[in-house]
């Protein structure tokens, strides 16, 4: 009889340790067959692989000669061994234990003919720690009692893999009805040339028919696209993603095949398709129709899957959302054609119950919507922002931040944004109970759902497995974990939550297969999201404060500050949304959760965005430069303002002199047309003497916010030149007129002198003498 006590807890090792090579110093005589070997019946031979609905082997793998593909989970230059139940992780009394042992020779040398020894753990795996210690053991860990020894019959070439089917008769297993149900450990050791080549470990679940309280398993499956730096997915990308083999098509196929999985979708996908109107790719429109017909529960992620924890820690008081898509809408693509059926009424997302199952939402009576006017053929119907984002979500009150990076203050931001339920990872909580609690627990201002990290890791690995061998290994671990949870407190029903990887969704091709395999066991049932929300909150779970890397938060804060600057700058525009709305969309894409694992690439994208936005808010400038000479006590100075934007702007100009030599008039309000320059006249008055003055010209929004740094203009003031010039002018005028008067006097004197001479000549003539 196998003892039912728990094995000692050992430190967890990396997952690859389950198939790592054992040191050659482990002598063959270190294990002696235990009493259980007395039950062995007959000699065991190689058996045919058994095909079953749960654990299905490819036909090529059934033939050792064709197993030439090395395992991705076996490190290079090592030999790996995996052992898993072939047909089901469950073993019942009277049933033979059928195992598949796979050997991966990732070395450059052939492995000679040898044998595989199969062992059964001496102790039941009654806790999660015991299960982890068995699957990831220390080098000196005991492998248990030997059950069988099977020859390999032929060598294993370098770089090749081979499968062995091992059947342990029920009598040889040694478990009876007296043994409690639960997870059991098995080990397979490859021996060649009297040297241990490698050891692999696995599990199965002994189920002798006792009452079992199944664990309700809720799964969340994200539908997202790769990270980008633009706020909308392009038409070309959508066409590729929604093709028959595209990323979004494959993700939706997986979700529809797993109807019990809850979909967490990026609203950017929906908006990007709808904003294209009649130009949207046919495959994208069909994809959206398929999504609408899915029976899965659905809730939205942040737009562009923007990390809500990063937003909060960067300083956002409420979570960000798109403000408008109008700049991306081509009105010609939203013309109502003739003889077209009326469009369906869109449902405002705020009318959907915050937390309710899809079935309940459909059963709940809703008020009769107000009929909307029928659009006439040829009319242009531009969709609103809410139209583009609307969807019949199961819930709009769930937030899913990056795992293990939520701080206490973030919860207040989530609640202020209407997110009353937050999905957290195991790393964000502390658990004091020895039993696994429900996924739900109370948070300040809301409810928390804890994603079981260990269980999620096993299920994710199974969903992303590229071979049946790798898939069986991970599914067996997940099934055993669920069995441990079910057995550790049989009188308490538990609901657990697992999440799939949102950073590499394209690799999760076995989601439905994995969830179906677990759902087929007697100790696990697939459950909708509402089951997790309705589960009794755990009283032994508390929130553990975590924080995102300081450098990442600093960069995100700079993005938020720049967006605030753009919003203030945009008040000078005739249509501020044309600038602020695209900036908001681009910001959200840079906060995408998938950027978290690409530190350098993300930092480059942030710097590029900041540089582009800097140019935007400095597109209205003062182009006048000095030096300028001001002559006189009062003059009008002409300053040229340039607008490099494609919109008219209205700014206020303020000029401040560096000293008191000049007095500047009132500030000016000026409208500058798109892509043009505008000259403004500024009245100046000279106050005290001559000298140099620097005029600091600053542009302001109408709200009084400065637009960039002041532009200096050097001015040279010569106020006394006006008096000197007047004196010179007066002298010139006096001289001119004086010269004229003098010339007239001289001329007149000459004229009078000439007249006098003429008269004198006439009167003084010789007198005639009379005759005698």
């Amino acid at each position: 009889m196998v003892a039912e006590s728990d094995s000692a807890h050992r430190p967890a090792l990396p997952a690859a340790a389950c198939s790592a090579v054992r040191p050659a110093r482990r002598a063959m005589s270190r294990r002696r067959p235990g009493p259980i070997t007395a039950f062995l019946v007959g000699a065991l031979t190689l058996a045919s692989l058994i095909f079953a609905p749960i654990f299905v082997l490819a036909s090529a793998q059934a033939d050792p000669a064709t197993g030439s593909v090395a395992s991705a989970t076996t490190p290079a230059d090592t030999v790996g061994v995996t052992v898993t139940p072939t047909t089901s992780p469950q073993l019942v009394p009277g049933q033979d234990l059928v195992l598949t042992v796979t050997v991966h020779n990732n070395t450059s040398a052939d492995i000679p003919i040898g044998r595989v020894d199969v062992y059964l753990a001496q102790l039941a795996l009654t806790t999660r720690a015991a299960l982890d210690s068995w699957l990831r053991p220390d080098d000196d860990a005991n492998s248990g009692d030997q059950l069988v020894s099977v020859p390999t019959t032929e060598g294993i070439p370098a770089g090749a893999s081979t499968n062995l089917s091992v059947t342990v008769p029920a009598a040889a297993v040694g478990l009876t009805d007296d043994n409690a149900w639960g997870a059991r450990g098995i080990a397979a050791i490859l021996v060649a040339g009297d040297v241990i080549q490698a050891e692999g470990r696995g599990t199965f679940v002994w189920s002798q028919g006792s009452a079992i309280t199944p664990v309700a398993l809720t799964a969340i499956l994200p539908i997202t696209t790769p990270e980008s730096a633009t706020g909308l997915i392009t038409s070309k990308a959508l066409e590729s993603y929604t093709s028959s083999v595209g990323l979004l098509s494959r993700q939706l196929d997986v979700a529809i095949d797993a109807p019990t999985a809850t979909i967490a979708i990026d609203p950017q996908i929906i908006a990007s398709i709808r904003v294209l109107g009649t130009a949207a790719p046919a495959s994208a429109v069909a994809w959206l129709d398929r999504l609408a017909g899915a029976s899965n529960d659905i809730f939205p992620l942040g737009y562009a899957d923007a990390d809500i924890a990063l937003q909060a820690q960067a300083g956002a008081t409420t979570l960000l959302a798109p403000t408008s898509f109008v700049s991306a809408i081509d009105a010609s693509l939203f013309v109502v054609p003739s003889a077209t059926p009326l469009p369906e009424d869109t449902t405002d997302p705020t009318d959907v119950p915050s937390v309710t199952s899809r079935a309940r939402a459909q059963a709940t009576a809703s008020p009769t919507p107000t009929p909307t006017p029928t659009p006439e053929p040829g009319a242009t119907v531009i969709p609103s922002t809410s139209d583009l984002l609307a969807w019949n979500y199961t819930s709009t009150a769930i937030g899913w931040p990056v795992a293990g990076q939520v701080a206490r203050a973030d919860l207040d931001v989530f609640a202020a944004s209407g997110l009353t339920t937050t999905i957290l990872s195991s790393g964000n909580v502390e658990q004091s109970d020895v039993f696994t609690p429900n996924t739900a627990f109370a948070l300040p201002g809301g409810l928390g759902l804890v994603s079981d990290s260990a269980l999620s890791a096993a299920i994710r690995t199974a969903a992303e497995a590229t071979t049946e061998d790798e898939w069986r290994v991970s599914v067996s671990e997940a099934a055993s974990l669920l069995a441990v949870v079910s057995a550790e407190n049989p009188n308490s029903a538990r609901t657990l939550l697992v999440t799939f990887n949102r950073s590499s969704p394209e690799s999760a091709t076995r989601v439905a297969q994995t969830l179906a395999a677990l759902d087929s066991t007697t100790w696990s049932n697939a459950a909708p999201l509402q089951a997790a929300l309705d589960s009794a909150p755990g009283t032994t779970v508390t929130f553990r404060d975590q924080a995102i890397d300081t450098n990442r938060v600093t960069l995100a804060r700079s993005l938020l500050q720049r967006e605030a600057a753009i919003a203030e700058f945009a008040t000078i525009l005739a249509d501020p949304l044309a600038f602020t709305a695209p900036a908001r969309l681009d910001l959200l894409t840079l906060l995408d959760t998938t950027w978290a694992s690409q530190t350098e690439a993300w930092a480059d994208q942030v710097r590029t965005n900041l540089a582009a936005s800097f140019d935007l808010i400095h597109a209205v400038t003062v182009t006048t430069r000095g030096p300028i000479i001001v002559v006189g006590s009062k003059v009008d100075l002409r300053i040229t303002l340039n607008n490099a934007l494609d919109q008219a702007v209205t700014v206020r100009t303020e000029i401040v002199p560096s000293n008191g030599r000049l007095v500047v008039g009132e500030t000016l309000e000026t409208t500058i047309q798109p892509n043009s320059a505008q000259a403004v006249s500024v009245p100046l008055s000279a106050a005290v003497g001559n000298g140099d003055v620097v005029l600091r010209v600053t542009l302001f929004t109408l709200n009084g916010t400065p637009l960039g740094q002041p532009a200096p203009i050097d001015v040279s003031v010569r106020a006394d030149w006006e008096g000197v010039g007047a004196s010179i002018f007066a002298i010139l005028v006096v001289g001119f007129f004086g010269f004229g008067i003098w010339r007239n006097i001289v001329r007149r004197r000459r004229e009078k002198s000439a007249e006098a001479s003429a008269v004198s000549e006439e009167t003084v003539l010789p007198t005639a003498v009379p005759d005698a």
Side-chain angles (χ1 to χ4, degrees), residues 425-507:
S425 68
S426 299
N428 246 143
V429 299
E430 293 180 353
Q431 175 189 341
S432 59
D433 197 346
V434 294
F435 299 125
T436 304
N438 280 327
T439 178
F441 78 105
L443 280 176
L447 182 70
L449 296 180
V450 182
S451 173
D452 193 304
S453 296
L455 185 58
S456 292
I459 292 178
R460 287 180 184 183
T461 304
E464 297 173 7
T466 57
T467 66
E468 292 292 330
D469 174 53
E470 295 170 0
W471 179 76
R472 285 196 310 271
V473 169
S474 298
V475 168
S476 294
E477 180 177 356
S480 297
L481 266 171
L482 289 168
V484 169
V485 172
S486 176
E488 65 186 4
N489 191 3
N491 296 325
S492 175
R494 252 76 54 81
T495 300
L496 300 185
L497 172 68
V498 295
T499 57
F500 288 91
N501 198 345
R502 62 219 279 181
S503 62
S504 57
E506 68 277 4
S507 59

Side-chain angles (χ1 to χ4, degrees), residues 257-492:
D257 289 342
T260 58
T262 297
I263 295 175
I265 190 167
D266 180 358
Q268 183 190 42
I269 302 171
I270 299 172
S272 296
I273 296 174
R274 288 175 170 170
V275 79
L276 294 174
T278 56
S283 60
V285 175
W287 183 91
L288 207 57
D289 291 340
R290 287 187 64 209
L291 177 65
S295 61
N296 307 71
D297 285 347
I298 303 178
F299 72 88
L301 298 166
Y303 187 89
D305 196 15
D307 185 7
I308 58 177
L310 181 59
Q311 294 179 52
Q313 294 180 37
T317 55
T318 57
L319 299 177
L320 305 179
T323 55
S324 175
F325 295 92
V326 67
S327 60
I329 294 177
D330 182 352
S332 65
L333 302 178
F334 292 90
V335 177
V336 178
S338 57
T340 299
L342 298 180
E344 296 181 0
D345 294 331
T346 57
T347 302
D348 189 338
T350 58
D351 294 336
V352 181
S354 60
V355 176
T356 179
S357 68
R358 181 173 295 272
R360 185 181 303 177
Q362 293 173 345
T364 303
S366 57
T368 303
T370 302
T372 56
T374 303
E376 296 292 335
T380 300
V381 181
I382 303 298
S384 65
T385 299
S386 59
D387 290 334
L388 296 174
L389 293 172
W391 197 261
N392 185 25
Y393 291 117
T394 303
S395 171
T396 58
I398 299 176
W400 186 8
V402 171
Q405 296 186 351
V406 181
R408 170 61 185 82
D410 300 348
L411 302 177
D412 296 331
V413 178
F414 301 165
S417 305
L419 301 182
T420 57
T421 301
T422 305
I423 299 173
L424 302 171
S425 68
S426 299
N428 246 143
V429 299
E430 293 180 353
Q431 175 189 341
S432 59
D433 197 346
V434 294
F435 299 125
T436 304
N438 280 327
T439 178
F441 78 105
L443 280 176
L447 182 70
L449 296 180
V450 182
S451 173
D452 193 304
S453 296
L455 185 58
S456 292
I459 292 178
R460 287 180 184 183
T461 304
E464 297 173 7
T466 57
T467 66
E468 292 292 330
D469 174 53
E470 295 170 0
W471 179 76
R472 285 196 310 271
V473 169
S474 298
V475 168
S476 294
E477 180 177 356
S480 297
L481 266 171
L482 289 168
V484 169
V485 172
S486 176
E488 65 186 4
N489 191 3
N491 296 325
S492 175

Side-chain angles (χ1 to χ4, degrees), residues 351-733:
D351 294 336
V352 181
S354 60
V355 176
T356 179
S357 68
R358 181 173 295 272
R360 185 181 303 177
Q362 293 173 345
T364 303
S366 57
T368 303
T370 302
T372 56
T374 303
E376 296 292 335
T380 300
V381 181
I382 303 298
S384 65
T385 299
S386 59
D387 290 334
L388 296 174
L389 293 172
W391 197 261
N392 185 25
Y393 291 117
T394 303
S395 171
T396 58
I398 299 176
W400 186 8
V402 171
Q405 296 186 351
V406 181
R408 170 61 185 82
D410 300 348
L411 302 177
D412 296 331
V413 178
F414 301 165
S417 305
L419 301 182
T420 57
T421 301
T422 305
I423 299 173
L424 302 171
S425 68
S426 299
N428 246 143
V429 299
E430 293 180 353
Q431 175 189 341
S432 59
D433 197 346
V434 294
F435 299 125
T436 304
N438 280 327
T439 178
F441 78 105
L443 280 176
L447 182 70
L449 296 180
V450 182
S451 173
D452 193 304
S453 296
L455 185 58
S456 292
I459 292 178
R460 287 180 184 183
T461 304
E464 297 173 7
T466 57
T467 66
E468 292 292 330
D469 174 53
E470 295 170 0
W471 179 76
R472 285 196 310 271
V473 169
S474 298
V475 168
S476 294
E477 180 177 356
S480 297
L481 266 171
L482 289 168
V484 169
V485 172
S486 176
E488 65 186 4
N489 191 3
N491 296 325
S492 175
R494 252 76 54 81
T495 300
L496 300 185
L497 172 68
V498 295
T499 57
F500 288 91
N501 198 345
R502 62 219 279 181
S503 62
S504 57
E506 68 277 4
S507 59
T509 58
R510 296 174 180 257
V511 174
Q513 182 185 8
T514 301
L515 295 180
L518 297 176
D519 188 47
S520 68
T521 65
T522 58
W523 57 89
S524 174
N525 291 330
L529 178 62
Q530 192 63 37
L533 296 168
D534 291 340
S535 62
T539 58
T540 60
V541 181
T542 57
F543 178 81
R544 182 168 68 180
D545 190 84
Q546 298 283 14
I548 302 174
D549 177 73
T550 303
N551 294 332
R552 182 169 170 79
V553 172
T554 300
L555 284 175
R557 184 177 294 115
S558 66
L559 288 172
L560 296 183
Q561 292 171 346
R562 178 56 55 79
E563 191 204 27
I566 292 174
E568 185 59 40
F569 169 82
T571 60
I572 70 175
L573 302 171
D575 182 13
L577 275 178
F579 283 84
T580 60
R584 169 62 63 84
L585 296 179
D586 291 346
L587 168 62
L588 290 170
T589 60
L590 287 176
L591 299 178
D592 192 331
T593 59
T594 54
W595 284 116
S597 59
Q598 305 177 52
T599 306
E600 292 301 325
W602 181 67
D604 290 341
Q605 291 291 345
V606 170
R607 285 189 286 266
T608 300
N609 178 275
L610 292 176
S613 58
F614 179 87
D615 293 339
L616 171 66
I617 61 180
H618 290 83
V620 181
T621 58
V622 178
T623 58
T624 300
R625 297 292 182 267
I628 297 175
I629 298 177
V630 173
V631 178
S633 59
K634 293 184 178 181
V635 297
D636 286 338
L637 177 65
R638 292 181 66 82
I639 296 177
T640 303
L641 308 180
N642 185 68
N643 175 19
L645 302 175
D646 56 4
Q647 270 199 59
V649 300
T650 302
V651 297
R652 182 172 292 136
T653 307
E654 181 179 284
I655 302 175
V656 178
S658 61
N659 53 52
R661 290 187 176 93
L662 284 178
V663 177
V664 182
E666 296 181 354
T667 58
L668 306 175
E669 186 174 305
T670 307
T671 298
I672 313 172
Q673 296 305 312
N675 299 304
S676 64
Q678 177 72 39
V680 296
S681 295
V682 181
L684 300 178
S685 299
V688 181
N690 303 324
D692 295 331
V693 181
V694 176
L695 297 180
R696 293 181 174 87
V697 183
T698 306
L699 301 181
F700 289 85
T701 68
L702 300 184
N703 297 330
T705 302
L707 301 175
Q709 298 299 317
I713 300 177
D714 295 328
V715 177
S716 180
V717 180
R718 295 294 180 264
D720 57 348
W721 285 15
E722 182 180 22
V724 174
S727 299
I728 294 173
F729 179 76
I731 292 172
L732 292 175
V733 170

